[in-house]
Amino acid sequence: MNEKKSISLYAMAVEKIWKLREVTDSERVRQLASELGVDPVLAELLVQRGVTTFEQARSFFRPSLDDLHDPFLMKDMDKAVERVRNAVVSGEKILVYGDYDVDGTTAVSLVYSFFRHLTKAIDFYIPERYDEGYGVSYKGIDWAAENGFGLIITLDCGIKANEKVEYAREKGIDMIICDHHLPEDELPKAVAVLDPKREDCHYPFDDLSGCGVGFKLVQAYSQKFGIAFDTLIPLLDLLVVSIASDLVSVTDENRVLAHFGLKQLNVSPRQGLMAMIQLSGLEPGHLTIDDIVFKIGPRINAAGRMETGRIAVELLTASDAKTAIRIGTEINEHNNERKNIDRRITQEALEMVESGNCLSSGNATIVYNPQWHKGVVGIVASRLVEAFYKPTIVFTQSQGGLVTGSARSVHGFDLYDAIESCSDLLENFGGHLYAAGLTLKEENLPAFCERIEKFISQAIIPEMQTPVVDVDAMLNFSQITPKFLRILKQFQPFGPGNNAPVFRTDNVYDNGMGRKVGVEGGHLKLELIQESHPYHHISAIAFNMADYFDHIKSGNPIDVCYSIVENYYRGTANTQLRVKDLHERDELV
C-alpha cells in the first residue's frame, strides 16, 4: 500500500505582496523626532497613528483611566442601571447570560463577579454550542423561568433576539441587552439595549468588545451609586482577554482598557487566569496581547468548542488556586484535543479542495463534511484562507437536519454582506465583516453556493485577492538600539488599529547558526546579519518557513519583513525578530 502524502498548508500559502507605507508628512516626522529626541523611524510610526504633537505623544505613551468615556453617554444606560438597581435592592433573581466564546465568557465572568458582591440572588448561564447554538435560546429562557429569575442580562449576544425577548416577557422576565454586534433595523423590545453600534446611540467609541459593554454597565452602576472606581480595577484582566481575543481595535477607549488590563494581568491576575498562564508555559509578569491571542484565548475558547462554555466561567470566577488549576487542567486537555481535531480536519479540507471534491473553489472556498466537529470549523476556515486566500466557508452537519457553517474573509471583502444577500436561503446567520456563522437546510446548500459564488465574483476586486504585508518602515539593524526598543515597547498594547510595526530590512544573511525547529522542523530559528552592518546580528524566528532553509543555509541573501518582540525565559529578556515574510535574493545582488 502506498503511503498517502499529506498536503502542507504552508507550502500552499499564496505569495504575498510587500507594500511600504508612504511618508505623508516628512517635515512633521522630522520635527516630531527632534521634539521627542527619538529615531525618525519611531516618529514616523507615531505620525502614521495620528500622533503629530508632543502633547499627543505624551498622551499616547501614558494612557490614563481618566480618558475613559462617561458610560451614561451610551443609549439606554440610565434605564439599564435603574432596572438592575431595582433587582439588587428587592432581591429579585438576576441571570447573567452570555455566549460560549472568549468574549462571552469573560463578559459573563466580569458582570457576575461584580454583582455577586451586591446580591446573592444571581447566577449565570452559558448556552450549549451543540444544543442551543449561538445567542439567546428558548431553552435558556425556559430555564430562567423555571428557576424564578425576573431579570436576564445578556452579554455579547441578544441584539437580534427580538422574538426571544418577547417570549421572555410573556414569562414575566425582563431583559437587558448588552451587545456589540450590528443590530437589525428593529431593535428588541427589551428594558434596555446597550449597543454602541445602534444608529441612535452617540457613544463616542463604537468598537467595544462584548465584555467592554458589560464593563460600561458596571462602571455606570458604580458611578451612579457611589462605588469607588478602584473596585473595578481587578476586573480589567478579564477585559483585556476579551479585547485581545475578539480582535476589536486597540484604539481610543480600548487602548486604555487594554493597557491597564495587561497591567492587572501581569501584576495580580485572578486565580483562573493565573492557572491559564501557568498551563500555557508563559512567563508571569511579562504577558503581551500576543500571549492572550495565541495562548490564553484559545484555551478558554476550547471549553465551549469541545465541552461547555460554563466551565470557562467557573474557571474565571474561581476563588482559590486549587479549584482554578483543576478546572484549568480540564480546559487545557480540551484544547489539546481541539488542536488534534483541528489538524486532522484541516488536512481533510485541503485534500478536498485539491482533489476538486469541494462545493466551490472558484472565487470562494466552500467545503462540507457532515462528520466534522462543529467546534473547530471556524479555525479550519481561517487555515483555508491562509492556504488559498479566498473568502471561505466550512460546513458541517448540525442538529435537526440542518447544516452549520463558519465563514472567514480576506482583507477588504465584506463576507457578512455576501452571506446576508442569501438570507432567504438561511435559517439564521450573524457575525462581522470578516467572520460569520450561518445555518441552513442541507437541500439549500447548492443554491447557496451558486448564489454566493456569483455575489463574490461581482463584488471582489483583484486587490482583495492577494495577501499584502503592510510594511511600516525600512530599518537597518544598527538602528535597533536599547533606546529604540525601550520606546517601541511603549507603543504597546498592539492590536487592530495599533498593530505591531512591521519593518523591512534587505540583503541579510544567517550567520551559519540557523536551524529548523518546532514540530517536524516546520520553523526556522536564525541569527541574521545585515551585509552593510556585519557586526550587528540579531535573532529571528520564522514560523512555517522551513522551505527556505536550504537557500538560507547555503549563505544566500534574503530580504525580510518582521516585527520586533521581546521574549522572556526564566527571567531573561531577549530581543527577537518575528519574521512575517521573506524573499530570496539573487546571489549577485
Side-chain angles (χ1 to χ4, degrees):
M1 181 184 293
N2 292 328
E3 184 177 346
K4 190 174 183 180
K5 185 177 181 182
S6 65
I7 298 172
S8 169
L9 170 65
Y10 301 102
M12 299 172 65
V14 179
E15 185 174 348
K16 303 176 179 68
I17 294 174
W18 297 3
K19 185 177 180 181
L20 180 64
R21 296 184 190 275
E22 295 182 5
V23 181
T24 55
D25 191 343
S26 56
E27 176 57 30
R28 169 44 53 191
V29 169
R30 185 198 63 77
Q31 185 175 342
L32 190 60
S34 175
E35 291 175 354
L36 298 176
V38 300
D39 189 297
V41 167
L42 295 171
E44 185 177 331
L45 296 176
L46 288 169
V47 172
Q48 288 174 5
R49 287 157 174 74
V51 178
T52 60
T53 67
F54 183 89
E55 291 73 20
Q56 288 175 337
R58 181 169 55 189
S59 177
F60 180 81
F61 287 131
R62 301 287 184 270
S64 171
L65 289 168
D66 292 336
D67 294 331
L68 295 181
H69 303 305
D70 181 352
F72 285 100
L73 294 174
M74 192 176 294
K75 183 77 171 179
D76 278 3
M77 185 61 80
D78 52 344
K79 298 176 184 177
V81 167
E82 287 299 328
R83 182 63 184 86
V84 176
R85 179 66 171 181
N86 290 339
V88 169
V89 170
S90 67
E92 181 182 19
K93 293 183 73 174
I94 303 170
L95 186 65
V96 185
Y97 186 117
D99 192 23
Y100 39 69
D101 66 2
V102 179
D103 193 18
T105 53
T106 53
V108 168
S109 300
L110 187 151
V111 172
Y112 174 74
S113 295
F114 176 81
F115 283 112
R116 72 174 172 178
H117 293 297
L118 302 177
T119 176
K120 293 181 179 179
I122 189 166
D123 202 349
F124 63 87
Y125 189 96
I126 305 292
E128 298 293 332
R129 178 189 287 263
Y130 306 110
D131 181 25
E132 299 167 76
Y134 169 80
V136 181
S137 71
Y138 289 111
K139 180 179 177 181
I141 295 170
D142 287 341
W143 186 89
E146 290 164 5
N147 288 276
F149 289 91
L151 175 64
I152 296 176
I153 302 172
T154 76
L155 294 152
D156 190 36
C157 61
I159 196 61
K160 296 182 180 180
N162 299 51
E163 294 177 0
K164 289 159 187 172
V165 168
E166 178 61 23
Y167 181 76
R169 190 188 64 78
E170 291 171 356
K171 289 182 171 290
I173 301 172
D174 285 342
M175 293 182 71
I176 294 172
I177 306 294
C178 301
D179 206 344
H180 68 132
H181 296 95
L182 285 169
E184 302 282 10
D185 292 337
E186 184 179 350
L187 295 173
K189 291 181 172 58
V191 172
V193 178
L194 306 181
D195 189 332
K197 289 187 175 69
R198 286 179 59 166
E199 282 192 9
D200 59 347
C201 180
H202 303 298
Y203 190 73
F205 182 65
D206 70 353
D207 202 27
L208 292 167
S209 65
C211 187
V213 177
F215 177 79
K216 299 309 292 188
L217 173 62
V218 302
Q219 182 191 1
Y221 191 96
S222 301
Q223 189 172 307
K224 178 70 178 287
F225 299 110
I227 300 172
F229 184 86
D230 285 351
T231 62
L232 306 184
I233 301 296
L235 302 173
L236 295 181
D237 57 355
L238 292 168
L239 189 46
V240 71
V241 170
S242 90
I243 289 170
S245 301
D246 216 50
L247 299 178
V248 291
S249 63
V250 186
T251 60
D252 198 281
E253 192 166 39
N254 278 347
R255 187 166 188 271
V256 175
L257 293 168
H259 173 87
F260 287 97
L262 276 174
K263 185 176 180 180
Q264 181 69 21
L265 189 64
N266 280 300
V267 174
S268 183
R270 64 192 51 241
Q271 297 288 356
L273 289 175
M274 177 55 82
M276 286 289 93
I277 291 166
Q278 294 171 348
L279 290 164
S280 302
L282 295 170
E283 187 89 3
H286 300 286
L287 303 171
T288 66
I289 291 290
D290 274 0
D291 292 324
I292 298 172
V293 171
F294 297 111
K295 297 286 188 179
I296 297 173
R299 282 170 167 79
I300 296 173
N301 246 339
R305 291 184 187 280
M306 309 305 296
E307 187 65 27
T308 170
R310 184 173 180 87
I311 63 172
V313 178
E314 290 172 353
L315 170 77
L316 296 173
T317 57
S319 58
D320 63 277
K322 185 177 179 181
T323 301
I325 286 293
R326 175 180 58 78
I327 300 173
T329 300
E330 181 183 350
I331 288 175
N332 203 46
E333 289 170 356
H334 289 319
N335 188 55
N336 291 333
E337 181 186 359
R338 186 273 306 167
K339 286 191 287 187
N340 291 332
I341 294 172
D342 161 21
R343 292 190 195 101
R344 175 179 59 79
I345 295 178
T346 297
Q347 186 62 37
E348 292 174 3
L350 287 168
E351 292 168 359
M352 198 177 276
V353 176
E354 284 297 286
S355 64
N357 294 321
C358 55
L359 297 177
S360 175
S361 60
N363 293 291
T365 301
I366 306 178
V367 292
Y368 171 51
N369 184 327
Q371 305 303 317
W372 284 342
H373 195 293
K374 185 179 176 183
V376 302
V377 291
I379 299 171
V380 174
S382 296
R383 301 274 192 265
L384 296 184
V385 171
E386 291 177 41
F388 305 109
Y389 207 69
K390 297 175 182 178
T392 298
I393 308 175
V394 178
F395 284 109
T396 189
Q397 201 165 65
S398 187
Q399 292 183 332
L402 297 175
V403 170
T404 187
S406 195
R408 298 293 184 269
S409 193
V410 297
H411 185 70
F413 184 76
D414 188 342
L415 186 55
Y416 181 87
D417 191 36
I419 292 170
E420 189 174 36
S421 73
C422 306
S423 60
D424 58 302
L425 297 172
L426 306 177
E427 298 302 302
N428 56 66
F429 67 99
H432 302 279
L433 179 70
Y434 295 129
L438 60 156
T439 302
L440 68 163
K441 295 176 181 176
E442 189 168 11
E443 59 263 31
N444 286 341
L445 260 180
F448 172 82
C449 293
E450 180 181 353
R451 192 181 315 169
I452 201 163
E453 174 74 26
K454 182 178 180 181
F455 183 99
I456 293 172
S457 70
Q458 295 172 344
I460 202 164
I461 60 176
E463 288 79 5
M464 299 176 185
Q465 296 173 303
T466 305
V468 174
V469 177
D470 288 313
V471 180
D472 294 285
M474 300 294 296
L475 193 68
N476 290 321
F477 283 173
S478 60
Q479 292 174 269
I480 306 175
T481 64
K483 179 182 178 182
F484 183 96
L485 293 171
R486 186 173 68 253
I487 297 171
L488 183 63
K489 190 175 181 179
Q490 294 178 51
F491 278 72
Q492 298 183 42
F494 295 130
N498 183 42
N499 285 315
V502 175
F503 303 105
R504 173 176 173 172
T505 305
D506 289 348
N507 207 16
V508 302
Y509 299 80
D510 179 69
N511 71 352
M513 301 297 289
R515 64 188 189 279
K516 294 182 181 180
V517 297
V519 179
E520 299 179 355
H523 315 313
L524 294 179
K525 180 75 169 64
L526 306 171
E527 290 291 331
L528 296 179
I529 301 171
Q530 189 174 10
E531 186 177 50
S532 57
H533 302 83
Y535 301 108
H536 196 112
H537 68 87
I538 190 165
S539 297
I541 185 73
F543 292 114
N544 308 305
M545 297 185 193
D547 289 345
Y548 292 99
F549 180 73
D550 290 340
H551 175 88
I552 295 171
K553 192 65 176 176
S554 299
N556 294 312
I558 56 174
D559 299 339
V560 289
C561 291
Y562 56 88
S563 56
I564 302 175
V565 299
E566 193 172 43
N567 286 332
Y568 287 88
Y569 183 68
R570 294 181 178 176
T572 302
N574 295 296
T575 299
Q576 186 180 69
L577 309 185
R578 184 171 293 166
V579 178
K580 301 286 187 182
D581 198 23
L582 63 85
H583 287 167
E584 298 176 356
R585 289 175 68 94
D586 191 303
E587 290 185 66
L588 299 178
V589 173

